[in-house]
Amino acid sequence: EAAVTQSPRNKVAVTGGKVTLSCNQTNNHNNMYWYRQDTGHGLRLIHYSYGAGSTEKGDIPDGYKASRPSQENFSLILELATPSQTSVYFCASGLRGGEVFFGKGTRLTVV
Amino acid sequence: GDKVKQSPSALSLQEGTNSALRCNFSIAATTVQWFLQNPRGSLINLFYLVPGTKENGRLKSTFNSKESYSTLHIRDAQLEDSGTYFCAADTGNTRKLIFGLGTTLQVQP
């Protein structure tokens, strides 16, 4: 089965600090995604990428940047973390129009 | 949750009984995925569907693109089936999955 690895799995950050969440996939999938999951909202798409060097805004991109330096790696960057960004973040990968596979998630707490 | 509506939002079943979960789409879905989020929080892939039906053990799922819905049938529910079930649709054009808000299932002994 496709493997998507997220790091760290848990993170506590201070308000105003910079946070980088990392994601690695070894499936040679073109597409990668960052979602956040909050009670009452389900999973919402933050940023996604079609391949190395590309990033696209999802449905809730404000306050987040993304970076896709290679086929395997996709990072989510919070330049100035705020308590409202406390959430569980999921990375995923997939082929265009194909099945999408998720990592185990990163629990981020901004204090 | 508006583009992909799941029902019911919560469900309690006795072990050994059957049930059906449903997703209705207000978008032109081309593929559908069903996931189970287990108590640890991991999203487990259950089904990836183009229009049609798939079966895996006690689970069976159908995706009807013309009528814009998908169903997940659980037969002979077991305790380990407990968790939150999500459906997600891809319209093909956007290359991104749009999720419903989930159905939380609790299977009672």
Side-chain angles (χ1 to χ4, degrees):
Chain A
E1 179 157 308
V4 180
T5 304
Q6 294 183 230
S7 63
R9 294 292 315 282
N10 290 280
K11 172 79 177 176
V12 179
V14 295
T15 298
K18 182 177 180 178
V19 177
T20 300
L21 306 183
S22 299
C23 181
N24 175 272
Q25 55 99 0
T26 55
N27 312 306
N28 201 30
H29 287 162
N30 293 329
N31 296 351
M32 294 186 75
Y33 311 84
W34 277 106
Y35 287 84
R36 63 178 283 177
Q37 184 177 26
D38 305 285
T39 304
H41 292 280
L43 282 95
R44 294 179 292 172
L45 184 63
I46 306 170
H47 284 289
Y48 59 109
S49 168
Y50 299 146
S54 95
T55 59
E56 305 289 335
K57 292 182 179 180
D59 299 319
I60 53 164
D62 293 346
Y64 302 94
K65 290 184 180 179
S67 173
R68 183 87 181 271
S70 65
Q71 179 84 335
E72 297 78 20
N73 295 296
F74 190 37
S75 297
L76 185 68
I77 303 149
L78 291 65
E79 295 277 3
L80 294 169
T82 69
S84 65
Q85 293 175 312
T86 293
S87 187
V88 179
Y89 292 85
F90 286 94
C91 176
S93 76
L95 295 171
R96 178 181 180 175
E99 192 170 2
V100 173
F101 297 88
F102 281 81
K104 293 185 182 297
T106 295
R107 184 173 296 276
L108 174 65
T109 303
V110 183
V111 298
Chain B
D2 289 346
K3 297 177 181 178
V4 177
K5 288 192 175 180
Q6 289 190 241
S7 61
S9 58
L11 184 60
S12 182
L13 293 178
Q14 291 293 120
E15 252 186 315
T17 60
N18 306 332
S19 189
L21 313 182
R22 186 173 174 107
C23 274
N24 289 310
F25 310 113
S26 60
I27 53 175
T30 54
T31 65
V32 172
Q33 283 192 240
W34 283 91
F35 300 90
L36 168 61
Q37 188 166 39
N38 65 18
R40 286 188 170 184
S42 294
L43 287 160
I44 300 166
N45 288 40
L46 297 177
F47 292 102
Y48 167 74
L49 295 157
V50 294
T53 298
K54 284 188 178 179
E55 196 163 352
N56 185 3
R58 295 179 293 103
L59 302 180
K60 180 179 176 181
S61 185
T62 296
F63 171 35
N64 185 322
S65 59
K66 291 182 180 178
E67 297 184 23
S68 299
Y69 74 88
S70 179
T71 55
L72 176 66
H73 291 263
I74 303 172
R75 176 174 54 81
D76 185 25
Q78 302 296 306
L79 296 176
E80 60 264 29
D81 295 333
S82 296
T84 301
Y85 290 80
F86 289 99
C87 69
D90 181 344
T91 63
N93 292 330
T94 61
R95 309 189 216 180
K96 57 185 183 180
L97 284 180
I98 302 171
F99 279 79
L101 295 182
T103 294
T104 299
L105 172 66
Q106 187 169 26
V107 180
Q108 309 273 12

